[in-house]
Amino acid sequence: MGQIIEITDFQAKALDVYARFTENQLLRRDRPMEGLFIAESPKVVMRALDAGYEPVSILAEDRHVQGEARELIARCPDIPVYTAPFTVLGELTGYNLIRGVLCAMRRKPLPSVKEICRAARRIALLESVVNPTNVGAIIRSAAALNIDAVLLTCSCSDPLYRRAARVSMGTVFQIPWTYLEEKECGSWPEPGMDYLKSLGFSTASMALHSQSVDIDDPRLKQEEKLAVILGSEGYGLREETILASDYTIKIPMSHGVDSLNVAAASAVAFWELGK
């Protein structure tokens, strides 16, 4: 069993990571090798451990130490486990814990786009998807529906943000993903699109556009390697992205509905195009 420590001092420096650090402070963009993230719920934490992420400490509701978190704590015998009743943890963190467990973990270096696309046949690319819940849901659908990797423009929400990883049910640790960094791919969209094409990918932007074809267009199935591009929640894809794509695709709608939430649309697209 880990080093069980009952919380008596809210201001303890060891609790900063849970109580006082912002997401940007955890991320440490200036020193990425020192970056941390918070994984929430036993299942998510276990999947992070299975993927090789290093735990730093655990924050657990006291009643879960010998319950839902027992197996997790047993896997991390050398790190502190801070514990308190549910109401105390909510006061400390500012939100209600899902299934009563948080784990601070070290980040790992991200792979290159070229590396994760090397053996991929179908990839998803997210452009400026800023809602972490949507990012997590899209990655969960990608993992479940035969998408081989996920790429994100640098304006997207972090897949390791607590809510994103939780909504993904830990699939952020099971499917390869990385950012389109300018130093590798050039700026987005046109140089970045050209880089994808140099890796053998045709590109398909999901957008309501005069040139859009239905998502079941047989030409899409014939593409050996295809990148499916999804845009931001409010404005969709940039016009430059649409114009630079090989295809613009849409999901046929009924009852006068014009579009779906980006996470829902991603599941439909991945199901159809990942077959």
Side-chain angles (χ1 to χ4, degrees):
M1 187 64 70
Q3 307 166 36
I4 308 300
I5 303 169
E6 184 178 350
I7 295 172
T8 58
D9 178 10
F10 272 26
Q11 300 306 313
K13 187 173 179 60
L15 298 176
D16 284 351
V17 66
Y18 300 107
R20 288 169 283 278
F21 282 4
T22 67
E23 286 298 320
N24 282 336
Q25 287 174 309
L26 290 172
L27 183 57
R28 295 298 300 267
R29 289 188 183 275
D30 57 332
R31 298 180 184 175
M33 294 305 295
E34 298 177 17
L36 301 172
F37 67 94
I38 303 296
E40 182 178 7
S41 87
K43 177 177 285 188
V44 172
V45 178
M46 288 292 235
R47 287 182 169 170
L49 292 172
D50 290 343
Y53 286 87
E54 179 188 349
V56 174
S57 65
I58 292 172
L59 181 68
E61 187 181 346
D62 53 4
R63 68 188 179 96
H64 288 312
V65 169
Q66 295 296 333
E68 290 193 53
R70 182 180 177 86
E71 182 183 357
L72 167 61
I73 293 171
R75 283 189 63 175
C76 306
D78 300 321
I79 65 171
V81 179
Y82 300 100
T83 183
F86 179 81
T87 53
V88 173
L89 294 186
E91 186 178 348
L92 175 70
T93 63
Y95 52 85
N96 291 332
L97 275 66
I98 302 299
R99 307 192 77 82
V101 176
L102 297 175
C103 183
M105 311 191 85
R106 298 194 189 282
R107 290 174 178 265
K108 297 196 295 186
L110 288 176
S112 67
V113 171
K114 186 175 184 179
E115 179 182 344
I116 70 170
C117 288
R118 184 174 293 117
R121 176 177 169 269
R122 293 288 184 266
I123 63 173
L125 193 154
L126 312 188
E127 179 186 278
S128 301
V129 179
V130 298
N131 185 313
T133 299
N134 282 334
V135 170
I138 292 168
I139 289 178
R140 185 177 181 182
S141 292
L145 299 172
N146 297 310
I147 299 300
D148 302 310
V150 177
L151 305 179
L152 305 97
T153 62
C154 291
S155 54
C156 286
S157 180
D158 177 15
L160 295 186
Y161 176 64
R162 177 182 58 85
R163 281 194 293 144
R166 187 190 74 213
V167 169
S168 83
M169 293 299 290
T171 55
V172 292
F173 308 116
Q174 296 176 295
I175 184 171
W177 62 269
T178 198
Y179 285 100
L180 288 160
E181 297 285 358
E182 188 167 345
K183 62 185 178 182
E184 179 188 4
C185 309
S187 60
W188 182 263
E190 290 187 23
M193 197 87 72
D194 288 341
Y195 186 74
L196 290 180
K197 292 177 182 179
S198 76
L199 298 178
F201 286 90
S202 296
T203 52
S205 287
M206 294 195 67
L208 297 173
H209 194 269
S210 60
Q211 302 300 316
S212 294
V213 299
D214 285 352
I215 200 168
D216 59 355
D217 189 297
R219 291 175 295 174
L220 297 167
K221 294 287 184 66
Q222 294 168 7
E223 293 289 353
E224 181 181 352
K225 303 179 81 171
L226 186 67
V228 183
I229 307 173
L230 301 111
S232 68
E233 295 87 345
Y235 300 100
L237 291 171
R238 297 168 58 179
E239 186 67 17
E240 301 95 313
T241 302
I242 295 170
L243 293 176
S245 297
D246 297 306
Y247 302 94
T248 306
I249 57 177
K250 64 181 179 181
I251 300 169
M253 299 283 158
S254 61
H255 294 97
V257 176
D258 62 352
S259 64
L260 295 174
N261 163 272
V262 65
S266 74
V268 176
F270 299 160
W271 166 251
E272 180 63 36
L273 299 173
K275 293 178 181 177

